[in-house]
Amino acid sequence: MSLMFDEAPDLSDLLERLSDDDAEVRAVAVMDLREIDDEDAIPLAVKAVFDSDAGVRVEAARVMDEFTGAAVAEALVVALADSDKAVREAAAEVLAENRNDDGGGVFLEAVKSDDAFVKASSLRALRPLRKPEAKAVALDNLEHPDAAVRREAVGVLAYLKTDDVLLALMNAACHDADEQVRRVAMGSLIFSKTEKAAATLITGLRDENWQVREEAAFVIGKIGQASALDALIDAMNDEYWQVRVKTAASLGKLKDPAAVDVLGQALSYNISNLRKEAASALGQIGSENALPFLKAATDDVDPDVRKVVQWAIEQINTNQ
């Protein structure tokens, strides 16, 4: 990126360099397109997507993050199907951060591609746009044989946050064969406080994959599902400490004194992050029954844990 006091590249100079026989010169010229007006830059960037050199095409895909419009979206979809893996990945990275509202129609059309990579990346691009028309194509792709496509389809539905897709998301959360699809689907339930969603999250706490269990524990706390209290207490015995950390945090948010004993016991675990989260949760619950556990932890070896323990004790004493 040029310094503020540098002049923008001369357009005639750029055009000359974009036509240079040396691919490295063309690649640098493509990068310089960021410095000129969109009206001039976009057609040149689009043309560079079709350059004979893969390195130039990579830079052309990357520079698209500066621009919006249907032409930009179409060029990125072309790059997604490029013969070179680096070009495809560069286009996918740009689309992952997509804010191109004008590209919605292009991405909806691209989802019809037989190429799973193109399909998944196009779904990813649709996600932040929250286009109502994307619901149907996302639902259609929940059964796609490629897990990445299914995962991105779940993401589209999650961003739409409509009650009529809840059943499909719950089904994916419980029954998809891929653990990452189940994890994303569990996370998508954060917009629903229904008992059906709570039941799905409770099921998630027993999933065979620890990341799915971790996500379920996190979401329960975010939406404050009190009906999941017993399942969360049981989850404090999970074999993965990462799950127990999220579970402790969620128990703190539920603020039910029934969790005091299991959280108090967690203050003696050998993972400092877990001890810290348990102490914080006890402070949030605010029960005087937690004081014996907390006072026993005031000399914890970790200064951060000691700080939270002291905070928790003060919280409880203040609220009595």
Side-chain angles (χ1 to χ4, degrees):
M1 182 66 70
S2 299
L3 296 176
M4 289 187 294
F5 48 79
D6 285 346
E7 293 183 2
D10 179 73
L11 183 57
S12 60
D13 173 66
L14 264 179
L15 288 170
E16 184 177 342
R17 289 190 286 129
L18 285 168
S19 301
D20 198 278
D21 291 338
D22 189 327
E24 291 186 7
V25 173
R26 298 199 304 277
V28 173
V30 170
M31 289 187 276
D32 285 344
L33 290 174
R34 297 176 184 273
E35 307 296 338
I36 66 174
D37 292 339
D38 290 7
E39 184 179 350
D40 294 323
I42 290 175
L44 298 175
V46 169
K47 183 178 179 180
V49 169
F50 297 91
D51 194 277
S52 60
D53 182 80
V56 176
R57 298 198 303 276
V58 167
E59 297 304 332
R62 288 174 177 164
V63 81
M64 293 295 178
D65 66 358
E66 290 286 323
F67 312 120
T68 59
V72 172
E74 290 169 359
L76 283 168
V77 170
V78 168
L80 285 175
D82 196 277
S83 60
D84 188 272
K85 181 180 179 182
V87 177
R88 296 195 302 272
E89 291 179 346
E93 287 176 10
V94 172
L95 289 173
E97 303 297 327
N98 175 55
R99 292 295 182 272
N100 189 351
D101 289 338
D102 296 326
V106 175
F107 301 136
L108 281 167
E109 188 64 27
V111 172
K112 299 176 184 177
S113 172
D114 292 331
D115 186 311
F117 186 79
V118 174
K119 188 184 289 286
S121 298
S122 299
L123 284 165
R124 179 67 177 268
L126 283 168
R127 187 171 64 180
L129 301 184
R130 294 184 170 92
K131 299 285 186 183
E133 313 93 282
K135 180 173 68 175
V137 296
L139 287 169
D140 287 344
N141 282 289
L142 286 178
E143 301 298 328
H144 194 276
D146 189 281
V149 173
R150 299 197 305 276
R151 185 176 67 246
E152 298 303 343
V154 166
V156 170
L157 297 175
Y159 265 62
L160 290 174
K161 298 180 181 180
T162 57
D163 291 337
D164 57 345
V165 302
L166 183 60
L167 183 61
L169 291 173
M170 292 191 299
N171 183 64
C174 289
H175 302 300
D176 196 277
D178 183 82
E179 61 269 17
Q180 293 307 315
V181 176
R182 297 197 304 277
R183 180 186 63 79
V184 173
M186 284 291 171
S188 74
L189 299 179
I190 201 165
F191 76 87
S192 176
K193 293 187 177 183
T194 66
E195 285 303 317
K196 288 183 178 179
T200 300
L201 291 164
I202 290 171
T203 299
L205 290 174
R206 300 190 295 270
D207 194 276
E208 63 184 18
N209 180 268
W210 72 266
Q211 291 176 311
V212 178
R213 300 196 301 273
E214 179 186 38
E215 189 69 16
F218 169 76
V219 174
I220 288 171
K222 292 294 287 186
I223 62 178
Q225 277 292 356
S227 61
L229 175 65
D230 290 342
L232 280 178
I233 290 175
D234 288 343
M236 283 299 293
N237 294 312
D238 195 281
E239 62 179 313
Y240 282 82
W241 66 265
Q242 295 94 330
V243 178
R244 283 178 277 157
V245 167
K246 297 296 185 186
T247 299
S250 290
L251 286 170
K253 290 180 173 65
L254 294 186
K255 298 183 179 182
D256 194 310
V260 166
D261 285 348
V262 72
L263 289 168
Q265 293 163 16
L267 290 174
S268 62
Y269 291 160
N270 61 354
I271 304 295
S272 61
N273 281 346
L274 178 53
R275 299 197 304 276
K276 183 166 61 177
E277 205 61 68
S280 177
L282 289 171
Q284 291 176 73
I285 292 171
S287 170
E288 61 181 5
N289 292 335
L291 289 173
F293 293 111
L294 291 166
K295 289 177 179 178
T298 54
D299 59 350
D300 192 281
V301 295
D302 188 308
D304 290 335
V305 176
R306 294 198 301 271
K307 185 185 299 183
V308 178
V309 166
Q310 189 58 45
W311 169 85
I313 292 173
E314 291 172 1
Q315 282 291 109
I316 295 171
N317 288 334
T318 299
N319 295 325
Q320 295 306 312

